[in-house]
Amino acid sequence: MNFEKIFAHNDIWIAEKLSVDKEYFNKLSEGQNPEVLYIGCSDSRVATEELLGAKPGEVFVHRNLANMVISTDFNVQSVITYAIEHLKVKQIIVCGHYYCGGVKEAMEAKDLGLLNPWLRNIRDVYRIHKDELNLIKNSEEKYNRLIELNVEEQCINLIKTAAVQKAIIESNLKVHGWIFDIRSGKLIDMKINFKKILKEIMEIYNLYEGKSLF
Ligand SMILES: [Zn+2]
């Protein structure tokens, strides 16, 4: 990657933006009011704004290895709290993608050093859904299904957090699970039925006794 090109491109980009609106950067500097928090994978092929057709200021973004929502990860938890309590986002998207290297590594039986504790969370998703996954004989189909189930579990992890539960009850926050298919370019809404999934587990995770989340 040519870094000189990056700075040259930056000058062109500034000129382009100002040619359309002289106040473009002044307006950007006034603040942000995104309606959406996007949690996705760090994979370089899954370019968030390009994928969503979003402009600067429209989406609050968090990316990590395999789009994980881990309760002890202060990074993702801080982003979620800031997005909900300060930016007042109305929607949270967890977006996974087929051909995810993080999920692939987690399916291998090997020691990956510092990656072990992170990928353990994906192995846990496998364990939870072992019966379904072990019925799939085709390894690529199994890999794809684990990617989908991982998105579903990360959405559930989101709903286990107090800030998200509070926003669902008080301001009708919505959580969505999506998959980006790198091979076709298609963005797929998994249309996760949270009501059905959470019905059985909310007796454990509901932090607002007496209040129904869905
Ligand atoms: Zn990935």
Side-chain angles (χ1 to χ4, degrees), residues 41-43 46 64-67 97 99-103:
C41 183
S42 299
D43 192 302
V46 190
N64 62 33
L65 196 62
N67 41 270
H97 67 101
Y99 306 97
C100 183
V103 174

Side-chain angles (χ1 to χ4, degrees), residues 98-99 139-149:
Y98 293 140
Y99 306 97
S139 60
E140 183 151 341
E141 271 175 41
K142 188 188 276 193
Y143 175 32
N144 288 346
R145 185 62 186 140
L146 180 57
I147 286 164
E148 293 166 4
L149 291 168

Side-chain angles (χ1 to χ4, degrees), residues 95-113:
C95 187
H97 67 101
Y98 293 140
Y99 306 97
C100 183
V103 174
K104 194 168 188 67
E105 294 286 1
M107 289 175 83
E108 309 275 329
K110 62 181 175 195
D111 181 355
L112 293 156

